[in-house]
Amino acid sequence: MLTCGIIGATGYAGAELTRILLSHPEVSSLALSSSSQAGEEMRRVYPNLDGPALGRTVLVNQERALESSDVVFASLPHGLAEEIAAACSKAGKLFIDISADFRFGADEATYSAWYGKKYAYPELHAASVYGLPELNRDKIRALGAAKRGSAKGGARIIGNPGCYPTCAELGLFPALRLGIARPEWIVIDAKSGVTGAGREPTKATHYPEIADSIVPYKIGEHRHTPEIASVLSTMADGPVGVVFTPHLAPMGRGIVSTIYFRITEGALGGAEGRAPRAAALREAYVAFYKDEPFVRIRPEGLVATNKDVRLSNYCDISLHMAHDGRTAIVVSAIDNMVKGAAGQAVQNMNIALGLDERLGIAMLPPAF
Amino acid sequence: MLTCGIIGATGYAGAELTRILLSHPEVSSLALSSSSQAGEEMRRVYPNLDGPALGRTVLVNQERALESSDVVFASLPHGLAEEIAAACSKAGKLFIDISADFRFGADEATYSAWYGKKYAYPELHAASVYGLPELNRDKIRALGAAKRGSAKGGARIIGNPGCYPTCAELGLFPALRLGIARPEWIVIDAKSGVTGAGREPTKATHYPEIADSIVPYKIGEHRHTPEIASVLSTMADGPVGVVFTPHLAPMGRGIVSTIYFRITEGALGGAEGRAPRAAALREAYVAFYKDEPFVRIRPEGLVATNKDVRLSNYCDISLHMAHDGRTAIVVSAIDNMVKGAAGQAVQNMNIALGLDERLGIAMLPPAF
Amino acid sequence: MLTCGIIGATGYAGAELTRILLSHPEVSSLALSSSSQAGEEMRRVYPNLDGPALGRTVLVNQERALESSDVVFASLPHGLAEEIAAACSKAGKLFIDISADFRFGADEATYSAWYGKKYAYPELHAASVYGLPELNRDKIRALGAAKRGSAKGGARIIGNPGCYPTCAELGLFPALRLGIARPEWIVIDAKSGVTGAGREPTKATHYPEIADSIVPYKIGEHRHTPEIASVLSTMADGPVGVVFTPHLAPMGRGIVSTIYFRITEGALGGAEGRAPRAAALREAYVAFYKDEPFVRIRPEGLVATNKDVRLSNYCDISLHMAHDGRTAIVVSAIDNMVKGAAGQAVQNMNIALGLDERLGIAMLPPAF
Amino acid sequence: MLTCGIIGATGYAGAELTRILLSHPEVSSLALSSSSQAGEEMRRVYPNLDGPALGRTVLVNQERALESSDVVFASLPHGLAEEIAAACSKAGKLFIDISADFRFGADEATYSAWYGKKYAYPELHAASVYGLPELNRDKIRALGAAKRGSAKGGARIIGNPGCYPTCAELGLFPALRLGIARPEWIVIDAKSGVTGAGREPTKATHYPEIADSIVPYKIGEHRHTPEIASVLSTMADGPVGVVFTPHLAPMGRGIVSTIYFRITEGALGGAEGRAPRAAALREAYVAFYKDEPFVRIRPEGLVATNKDVRLSNYCDISLHMAHDGRTAIVVSAIDNMVKGAAGQAVQNMNIALGLDERLGIAMLPPAF
């Protein structure tokens, strides 16, 4: 049985992680930290969690949470994870970071360009793994095998993917890996619920400002752009031209990405015509993801939507062809707080520790 | 391990029951019936539920679902449950009815007056139990003890309470039982999410008609009125004058009932003044419900809301005093689909079968 | 043609007033002030208002707005209106205050008890009028008749009613004035859209916290309580016992108040039974309000809701009887930003200046 | 002063048209028809419209509405407008059709392929004008000039554009006409409020199914596709490859279209780099639309959204460049019921009759 530490437990991702881990059968206790509310009972901050599982757990400071945990999760603003990673590395603890700090591996240049900060511990980044299980399951599992205390085994760091990147990357992985998508111009139009903006009230997330409205934002400059571009290029084994536009939509949870690309000449087994191509595309995705526990390819006639994955760790994907017969439209949907953050973090922990990958995150989505 | 039958599995309450029972550790399989969609795979009707637990379960007809089940739930329009009850009774099966048909016990007059139908099997009603565990736990448990096949044991029928009644009754139980509330005029102003109106599209539930609006309905004539009045009178051991107004609110799930009553002279240990009386009222409720696993009395400063109980079996209650110092205001909140329907039905099953009452329904509410 | 000044033009009420006055046929120009954004173009703060009517109007400071206006509106936090009133009074300008500062007339004790501030200019309060046209139309009109510069004419001050009070008071005026309602215990359960909480982002109004939820707040201690109690007592010509509970509902605009009172023995022409009493109550309201341009009594079968008054100056009222046959249930609905604030302020201006009362506020509500 | 007939007055577009025309200064009376509710008072069907302007107007049948009107609007399901057009043509009345029947001019092949119906009166289609004022103002005005009763003047028919087409076409007009956009692959990702689906309740528009969710639909096969493609080709004076995906979003009104295209080599005055190109693109749009009363190009830093145009006839457009520096992202937003239907229909009437184009549709959008 494990003790898990959550650094930054009172933000939305931290609270969601708390909620999930409180029901995880291999987790016996939690150490929750908060810089601003240390000393407070968590049940006063999140009255919804009140009950025997949480009990009177008091928020502690970061040091305390770190030292008492077997596995450490951090859900802090970008730029604060390296020191935690270093401490965990030294102690041979598994560290799963939900911020962007460990999503760029050895590519410090890209990280610096978009996040305005240099690497303090480049070797930790080089040893870290990007925690998208569908892409890197073996590498994540290998972290667990690394010996505790050994030079290499010290760095057991997982950079948990961003919410938009998870959704887009899973939607494009088969098309890129199988050479179906022409990589030079891929358009990702993503719609997110407001929890994605975090717990801090702002004008943009003030109810009267966003209810009943849909608002594109950070057009052409959202920080998830380089993460998506980098991972897609890995998937395609070559450069991918990505245009990514996020939208804030009047809903709580969920991301729906509508993804557009042209299909490669001769791909899809030479299928011709709109319907046969859509069917061939669907079959390719079904085959590609057939062993994935958390990816569901929707059958013909169903469109992926956040409604059907809400509060679950599923990524639903539906495949379509535009009227022009040569543009594929992939719809990919996740719950941004689960598969897009806390659920995927737990999935990564399960894999790294050799547990059943679905432990604690097999919740069925309520559709209404 | 149990096989559970759900008659009417494709309505909202039936689908929610399906979702909960798919994760119930003592349930090995489900028999799902639908009169309109028999022959269809459930995962086509509710794509959210697609996965290994549901598999390719096909909707069957009512007879088929009945015969293959150890426990039978029915979630049908009012007026159809008696025949199922009779069949279950004959076979000694536990039957839990989510409609209003078995909520009035021997009081056929009230049922007939409000639902326009006579009892076909009065003896089944007489033997049935109103499934509010906090009020009738012993009677529910006794059903399980009744011998299968014996004359009396045959009728193992639970009338699952209505959603509005569950919320209001739990909010008033201590005040009435302890003589705190003056019973002659109690006002219950209840606000419900739109799932409470069921799955059938209507003008009133068409998105543009109800989004951004709050609409009182069936004022002075909602069918939950006699159920509430009857149970409150049982709680008070005397007549209770109830005024109940339901509202449709622009939200998916949840009921928040704001309940007004005058406190009895000398009640609350003679506490005087607004704040002391509120504190005394809160303490009385805490003590009254101290062993209840699914009732949470909110501490001072917190107000009960559907947000904090969503997707859980909790009923949250907060206690307040009006500015006049003699009117108590009780706020009671549940998830109408869980504690107000499917979750409470499972709670009743657990109790009747002698299982841990919390099995399968210990979900923690996500607050966002 | 008038120049109107709006002190505090960038809050929600100020912006709504700006929007309405930009289309008012008797207003030729606006002087908009903002303490925090003076110097900025209004169209940058409210891009929705961009167009030829607003042009490049720049936000000015308070002094500037005051001196250039014939009529002055203030929409500031409570406690700041007296100095503006004094200045307007000196200059003989009509002043309409949207804060609570001038809603209590000579009753300084109540104002001080709830708002924690003494009157600096008691004589201005004594001369001010509570701007509920349906109650005080003649007094409002008399303000206009007062000669500019004369001793008494100097104080031309209207305290615009609060949003909750407007809704509740109009819903109760006939019942109290005609002696239909027993005054000792009246319950007002009010539900408001989130614009009522103002423009400043807070945790309570952060989209993920309030969407999909309904939350009672300030139970037993909301500052609109004494305003309501005081005006109802005027209407009843005697003390009225009021219990008032506001709720924040997941909608942008609108207040729906569900109001409960017992009817006086022998009232309603001695009508007996639920339906006859409801009909008699409706007729009484229809007759009472027959000349009011902005009150609509809904016919039998229709329930008042914020949907049908949105973006208009209407107050819709529907009349019902509870199942007990002696409790009346009145539903009263307004748009909190229009009849509950800016629209009513313009109505007051029209009346005071002898204009057609409906000028600029005859908008028809869009129901969807 | 005019009498306007609205055929199909009880659908959402018809009701919105009624609301707008009730406040139009040149319209003295309305003749409202409904096939299903003839004989009923309109104020019973739309209680929001109750008031002196509507009075007790009773819904009549189509013939009656036609004969008593100077201008006829039809808002019926597709396929029913031709007979009305023929009747109006014979009588020399101006006819504005809100369905798709008159949007394809002489191109019967495209209409038949998508709407499954042949032209009964090809000559009426040939004489009709596509009512996008920004594109066809002169042709619309010429309709009015045509003499009543003359052979050519008989056919005074305007096909009012679809909601999605209006939004997309205005967003692309300058880019195509000025040769900025490469026409071979333009992606239009459009999000619409639920009023766009009409007044008839369906599963897709049932509140619990669409609240909190965003759902792409009719991917690759929406009937607005050929309308958009055809008009864009006219604008570009050559073939345009269009990929159009509509989404249903949890909001009442509004369409936000996010439009992606590559810029032509050397366009934008040779501007290089992301920011200069975005600025050049903005300037091109500002200049292009400088005389348009209902198109607002948002300044740098503002993104177009349905919030800022709600309940107005504005189309807001903002211009952006993707991070790749060569993909333009245009955001175009309208109120689907106003500029996307009823408002534009009134704009067309105003132009055709030689009235001030803004009469009756100069409403300022409320942003909250």
Side-chain angles (χ1 to χ4, degrees), chain B:
Chain B
M1 296 290 279
L2 301 160
T3 296
C4 293
I6 303 176
I7 314 298
T10 57
Y12 279 161
E16 183 73 350
L17 199 45
T18 302
R19 190 175 72 87
I20 292 174
L21 291 176
L22 282 172
S23 302
H24 193 290
E26 291 293 325
V27 175
S28 57
S29 67
L30 297 181
L32 308 175
S33 94
S34 163
S35 58
S36 60
Q37 295 181 279
E40 183 101 53
E41 285 183 6
M42 182 66 168
R43 64 176 188 157
R44 294 298 302 209
V45 184
Y46 281 98
N48 57 306
L49 297 178
D50 197 14
L54 179 65
R56 298 182 173 245
T57 305
V58 170
L59 292 160
V60 296
N61 63 26
Q62 181 173 313
E63 292 66 39
R64 186 77 182 285
L66 266 174
E67 75 190 16
S68 57
S69 303
D70 304 307
V71 179
V72 175
F73 298 86
S75 179
L76 298 175
H78 306 306
L80 300 171
E82 279 189 313
E83 294 301 332
I84 303 171
C88 289
S89 185
K90 211 163 164 185
K93 295 179 179 188
L94 179 64
F95 174 54
I96 300 173
D97 183 35
I98 294 182
S99 84
D101 292 351
F102 282 93
R103 293 180 191 156
F104 293 87
D107 184 6
E108 182 175 354
T110 299
Y111 178 78
S112 297
W114 287 81
Y115 290 87
K117 194 170 174 290
K118 287 186 159 300
Y119 283 177
Y121 302 90
E123 71 284 6
L124 295 182
H125 293 275
S128 71
V129 177
Y130 184 75
L132 190 70
E134 292 77 7
L135 176 66
N136 286 334
R137 186 175 282 107
D138 290 345
K139 291 183 186 166
I140 299 164
R141 194 176 286 133
L143 283 179
K147 282 210 191 72
R148 185 171 161 157
S150 76
K152 193 180 165 195
R156 302 164 69 208
I157 299 167
I158 297 172
N160 213 57
C163 51
Y164 284 122
T166 295
C167 188
E169 290 158 15
L170 292 176
L172 281 162
F173 190 14
L176 290 171
R177 185 54 56 93
L178 303 173
I180 296 167
R182 287 174 56 182
E184 63 268 26
W185 198 43
I186 295 180
V187 171
I188 301 165
D189 189 286
K191 299 88 180 169
S192 172
V194 186
T195 54
R199 194 187 177 214
E200 197 61 40
T202 63
K203 181 170 187 303
T205 59
H206 187 44
Y207 183 90
E209 301 288 326
I210 183 60
D212 220 30
S213 301
I214 191 159
V215 188
Y217 67 103
K218 291 190 186 161
I219 303 176
E221 57 192 32
H222 193 283
R223 283 170 162 182
H224 283 172
T225 307
E227 179 182 343
I228 295 171
S230 158
V231 175
L232 294 189
S233 296
T234 300
M235 290 171 164
D237 205 14
V240 175
V242 176
V243 172
F244 164 64
T245 307
H247 298 68
L248 209 55
M251 48 195 204
R253 288 168 176 250
I255 294 177
V256 175
S257 299
T258 314
I259 305 172
Y260 304 84
F261 58 82
R262 290 207 171 172
I263 60 169
T264 312
E265 205 77 9
L268 301 174
E272 292 299 333
R274 211 179 131 232
R277 283 182 170 174
L281 187 61
R282 191 173 300 115
E283 282 159 30
Y285 271 64
V286 167
F288 190 89
Y289 280 133
K290 70 179 190 310
D291 297 324
E292 284 302 334
F294 292 114
V295 178
R296 301 190 296 195
I297 306 304
R298 312 276 59 187
E300 199 196 333
L302 280 185
V303 178
T305 161
N306 62 314
K307 180 173 107 77
D308 285 336
V309 296
R310 193 177 296 137
L311 288 153
S312 84
N313 201 50
Y314 284 118
C315 176
D316 277 6
I317 298 172
S318 66
L319 291 311
H320 314 267
M321 289 298 293
H323 189 252
D324 66 10
R326 54 193 188 152
T327 301
I329 303 174
V330 179
V331 184
S332 177
I334 62 167
D335 182 311
N336 58 311
M337 303 305 302
V338 186
K339 183 64 176 171
Q344 185 150 265
V346 173
Q347 188 181 359
N348 281 320
M349 176 188 82
N350 289 342
I351 296 171
L353 299 183
L355 303 171
D356 178 338
E357 190 168 336
R358 292 162 304 181
L359 274 188
I361 46 174
M363 307 82 80
L364 287 170
F368 50 84

Side-chain angles (χ1 to χ4, degrees), chain D residues 11 23 35 42 48 80 118 123 125 136 171 217 233 238 266 311 332 334 338:
Chain D
S23 302
S35 57
M42 182 66 167
N48 58 305
L80 300 171
K118 287 186 159 302
E123 72 284 7
H125 293 275
N136 286 333
Y217 68 102
S233 296
L311 287 152
S332 177
I334 62 168
V338 186

Side-chain angles (χ1 to χ4, degrees), chain D residues 31-73:
Chain D
L32 309 176
S33 93
S34 163
S35 57
S36 60
Q37 295 179 279
E40 183 101 54
E41 285 183 7
M42 182 66 167
R43 63 176 190 159
R44 295 298 301 209
V45 185
Y46 282 97
N48 58 305
L49 297 179
D50 197 14
L54 179 65
R56 301 186 170 240
T57 305
V58 170
L59 292 160
V60 297
N61 64 25
Q62 180 172 315
E63 291 65 39
R64 186 77 183 285
L66 266 173
E67 74 191 16
S68 57
S69 303
D70 304 307
V71 178
V72 175
F73 297 86

Side-chain angles (χ1 to χ4, degrees), chain D residues 3-44:
Chain D
T3 295
C4 294
I6 303 176
I7 314 297
T10 58
Y12 279 161
E16 183 73 349
L17 199 44
T18 302
R19 189 175 72 89
I20 292 174
L21 291 175
L22 281 172
S23 302
H24 192 291
E26 291 293 325
V27 175
S28 57
S29 67
L30 297 181
L32 309 176
S33 93
S34 163
S35 57
S36 60
Q37 295 179 279
E40 183 101 54
E41 285 183 7
M42 182 66 167
R43 63 176 190 159
R44 295 298 301 209

Side-chain angles (χ1 to χ4, degrees), chain A residues 12 45-46 194-195 197-212 249-252, chain C residues 12 45-46 194-195 197-212 249-252:
Chain A
Y12 279 161
V45 185
Y46 281 97
V194 186
T195 54
R199 194 187 177 214
E200 197 60 40
T202 63
K203 182 169 186 303
T205 60
H206 188 44
Y207 183 92
E209 301 288 325
I210 183 59
D212 221 30
M251 48 196 204
Chain C
Y12 279 161
V45 184
Y46 283 97
V194 186
T195 53
R199 194 186 176 213
E200 198 59 41
T202 64
K203 181 170 186 301
T205 59
H206 188 43
Y207 184 92
E209 302 287 326
I210 183 59
D212 221 29
M251 47 196 204

